[in-house]
């Protein structure tokens, strides 16, 4: 199937083993355990010498089919599906860190990711070095022999910052440090992480992939591009090439011990969601760009932030890395926190809810919600402002969204 497009391949990927009823959709194998003919076969499977399933915390046929599809679209070496974006991030980072190690990252992170790095990993002796990833000199000065990863979000939310991935990958390569990117905002196949030097990509499949916010999920996509033989914790997992160590340890030890594998029902819904990903993404992102341009003309809106806009400071880099449509999320600033609250309360169509890339447009005031439990000082260090509103654009017509926004916008003095 090499000569057909990824989208087509994705729809027609065959099962590893044929289904006995010739089901066209992958059946949902809601079984915890799998039975064996003999004790010998059981030993072979449990010791990893055959690919038979043993227990659904570790592998499951429906989840594996979802993983295989993602692998086909991304051309990755190994894909693991976890039960949320956060479990994908925590499993990935726990696989390669150790007490005394550090991660070089930015304070511009999703709220729980920031807290995981700042609090959870810190308690295990892992230091998060928050710096400006758009300043390459600063990044170089933060990386040392105990750096386990350079970690970032490809378009940060809600700041909408874009770092130069190839330049960061170069710094990583020189220092033998992998580049790990959370690409939830522009996922595969619209952003080809491997081409920009990303070694491990993380996606919250809760967002675009689930298709209408049906289920939580997270993906760890390992491109097999990094040689782990210099990693203090992964070198013992290396074979002759050294590129398999990360996924091998993660699958054989970390994810089994933590127990956050995707459920078969969610894998079924996300496989289905992925079949329409291309259509929904293109439509939502095109509406987002159209809306961003029109919101720039609205009196009462102080500024609009979307890297697809030509006058955005990250536009050139964003276009090179993510193409014309960098996702379906934008932010805009009003005069004050009070103006934001009053605006949100007047909306009739756009839903006041968290989450991104539902079929419906969703709106939120990040400072008082996702970042509400942080101190104002921490919020300021993360550049999360009280005047900012975040909008996730759905499948509605642009005019309907604009009309709703216009009737709610505070009229100029
Ligand atoms: C939502 C989100 C996450 C967390 O994903 P969950 O599926 O909610 O656990 C991580 N990173 C980014 C950029 C997100 O938008």
């Amino acid at each position: 199937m090499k000569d057909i497009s990824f989208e087509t391949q994705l729809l027609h990927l065959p099962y590893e083993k044929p289904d006995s009823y010739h089901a066209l959709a992958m059946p949902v194998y809601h079984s915890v355990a799998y039975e064996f003919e003999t004790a010998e076969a059981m030993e072979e499977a449990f010791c990893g010498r055959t690919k038979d399933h043993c227990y659904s915390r570790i592998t499951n046929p429906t989840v594996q089919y979802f993983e295989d599809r993602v692998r086909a679209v991304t051309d990755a070496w190994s894909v693991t599906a976890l039960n949320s974006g956060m479990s994908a991030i925590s499993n990935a980072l726990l696989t390669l860190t150790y007490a005394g190690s550090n991660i070089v990252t930015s304070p511009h992170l999703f709220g729980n990711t920031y807290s995981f790095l700042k609090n959870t990993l810190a308690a295990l002796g892992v230091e998060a070095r928050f710096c400006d990833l758009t300043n390459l000199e600063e990044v170089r000065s933060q990386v040392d022999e105990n750096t386990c990863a350079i970690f970032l979000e490809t378009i940060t939310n809600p700041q909408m910052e874009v770092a130069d991935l190839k330049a960061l990958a170069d710094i990583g390569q020189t220092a033998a440090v992998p580049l790990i990117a959370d690409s939830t905002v522009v996922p595969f196949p619209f952003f080809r992480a491997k081409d920009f030097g990303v070694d491990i990509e993380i996606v919250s499949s809760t967002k675009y992939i689930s298709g209408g916010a049906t289920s939580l999920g997270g993906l760890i996509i390992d491109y097999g591009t990094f040689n782990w033989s210099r990693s203090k914790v992964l070198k013992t997992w290396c074979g002759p090439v050294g590129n398999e160590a990360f996924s091998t340890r993660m699958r054989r030890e970390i994810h089994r011990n933590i127990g956050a594998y995707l459920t078969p029902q969610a894998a079924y819904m996300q496989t289905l969601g992925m079949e329409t990903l291309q259509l929904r993404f293109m439509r939502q992102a095109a509406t987002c760009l159209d809306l961003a341009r029109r919101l720039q003309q609205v009196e009462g809106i102080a500024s609009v932030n979307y890297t697809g806009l030509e006058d955005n400071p990250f536009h050139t880099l964003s276009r090179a890395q993510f193409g014309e449509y960098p996702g379906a999320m934008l932010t805009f600033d009003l005069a004050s926190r009070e103006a934001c609250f009053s605006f949100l309360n007047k909306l009739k169509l756009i839903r006041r809810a968290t989450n991104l890339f539902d079929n419906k447009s969703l709106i939120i005031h990040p400072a008082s919600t996702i970042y509400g439990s942080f101190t104002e000082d921490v919020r300021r260090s993360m550049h999360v402002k009280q005047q900012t509103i975040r909008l996730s654009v759905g499948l509605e017509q642009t005019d309907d969204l604009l009309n709703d926004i216009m009737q709610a916008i505070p009229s100029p003095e």
Side-chain angles (χ1 to χ4, degrees):
M1 296 224 283
K2 276 286 167 218
D3 54 341
I4 55 176
S5 68
F6 283 122
E7 294 91 321
T8 307
Q9 234 186 88
L10 176 89
L11 289 165
H12 296 287
L13 189 78
Y15 307 147
E16 199 179 52
K17 290 184 183 168
D19 172 63
S20 40
Y21 297 101
H22 307 287
L24 198 51
M26 180 62 175
V28 180
Y29 286 99
H30 249 299
S31 181
V32 169
Y34 306 83
E35 196 178 3
F36 291 86
E37 293 284 337
T38 64
E40 289 77 9
M42 205 165 180
E43 182 186 19
E44 292 294 298
F46 274 73
C47 295
R49 292 192 286 270
T50 61
K51 286 167 104 187
D52 292 327
H53 300 281
C54 301
Y55 192 70
S56 284
R57 171 163 37 75
I58 299 163
T59 60
N60 170 282
T62 313
V63 182
Q64 190 188 324
Y65 184 63
F66 176 54
E67 293 169 337
D68 286 347
R69 278 199 178 195
V70 175
R71 206 151 50 88
V73 198
T74 54
D75 205 16
W77 185 73
S78 172
V79 172
T80 305
L82 283 311
N83 64 13
S84 68
M86 282 318 300
S87 54
I89 290 169
S90 52
N91 271 273
L93 297 183
L94 288 171
T95 299
L96 47 78
T97 49
Y98 52 91
S101 67
N102 66 73
I103 294 174
V104 172
T105 187
S106 154
H108 299 165
L109 292 170
F110 176 67
N112 292 118
T113 308
Y114 179 84
S115 169
F116 179 73
L117 284 161
K118 174 109 182 146
N119 305 314
T120 314
L121 280 186
L124 302 176
V126 180
E127 181 199 354
R129 296 189 172 167
F130 297 108
C131 67
D132 177 1
L133 294 180
T134 65
N135 179 341
L136 300 175
E137 270 320 302
E138 193 177 330
V139 177
R140 263 186 221 105
S141 73
Q142 294 293 319
V143 172
D144 64 20
E145 70 280 6
N146 287 315
T147 302
C148 289
I150 299 173
F151 177 88
L152 82 165
E153 293 174 12
T154 52
I155 301 182
T156 74
N157 155 18
Q159 309 83 6
M160 307 287 213
E161 179 184 88
V162 177
D164 184 338
L165 294 166
K166 279 186 179 158
L168 292 175
D170 280 348
I171 295 177
Q173 222 146 45
T174 308
V177 172
L179 180 63
I180 305 187
D182 176 340
S183 71
T184 301
V185 172
V186 185
F188 62 85
F190 313 100
F191 162 59
R192 304 207 61 84
K194 195 181 181 175
D195 296 350
F196 294 93
V198 173
D199 296 295
I200 293 170
E201 181 180 9
I202 292 174
V203 181
S204 165
S205 53
T206 311
K207 312 292 164 58
Y208 283 111
I209 292 161
S210 76
T214 59
S215 48
L216 288 156
L219 291 161
I220 301 177
I221 303 171
D222 177 359
Y223 289 102
T225 43
F226 193 75
N227 180 345
W228 301 95
S229 59
R230 281 166 67 185
S231 156
K232 283 187 188 161
V233 284
L234 289 171
K235 62 179 176 221
T236 56
W237 294 86
C238 285
V241 189
N243 64 346
E244 71 282 63
F246 172 85
S247 284
T248 306
R249 181 183 188 213
M250 198 258 297
R251 293 218 61 137
R252 296 227 185 117
E253 179 194 329
I254 305 295
H255 112 86
R256 295 183 187 198
N257 295 351
I258 290 176
Y261 201 46
L262 193 65
T263 61
Q265 186 67 41
Y268 174 82
M269 291 189 279
Q270 302 206 352
T271 304
L272 195 60
M274 208 156 54
E275 293 187 353
T276 56
L277 175 63
Q278 185 93 6
L279 285 174
R280 289 182 289 105
F281 181 92
M282 289 318 289
R283 162 72 187 250
Q284 287 173 256
T287 306
C288 188
L289 178 58
D290 185 18
L291 193 64
R293 287 191 177 128
R294 288 160 77 179
L295 289 178
Q296 282 188 309
Q297 315 303 324
V298 175
E299 229 183 310
I301 294 184
S303 63
V304 180
N305 200 355
Y306 180 63
T307 65
L309 292 170
E310 287 75 8
D311 57 3
N312 185 283
F314 295 108
H315 179 71
T316 308
L317 196 51
S318 172
R319 196 169 171 117
Q321 295 182 161
F322 316 111
E324 190 180 354
Y325 300 111
M329 173 183 76
L330 60 80
T331 68
F332 54 89
D333 285 6
L334 299 180
S336 63
R337 170 190 164 99
E338 292 67 34
C340 290
F341 273 49
S342 154
F343 167 76
L344 288 174
N345 289 337
K346 281 191 200 137
L347 290 169
K348 294 178 177 148
L349 178 73
I350 301 172
R351 308 295 186 93
R352 287 173 290 270
T354 190
N355 199 14
L356 294 170
F357 320 126
D358 193 333
N359 296 338
K360 304 173 189 74
S361 291
L362 307 179
I363 202 158
I364 195 163
H365 178 251
S368 63
T369 54
I370 300 166
Y371 302 90
S373 61
F374 296 178
T375 63
E376 190 57 33
D377 276 352
V378 172
R379 271 195 297 269
R380 208 167 293 129
S381 77
M382 299 175 83
H383 301 102
V384 175
K385 295 182 293 181
Q386 292 292 347
Q387 311 88 284
T388 303
I389 299 238
R390 183 187 86 187
L391 174 66
S392 166
V393 176
L395 290 167
E396 301 92 343
Q397 295 281 352
T398 315
D399 283 345
D400 296 331
L401 296 173
L402 192 65
N403 288 342
D404 195 33
I405 291 171
M406 293 308 290
Q407 64 81 30
I409 215 82
S411 44
E413 302 298 306

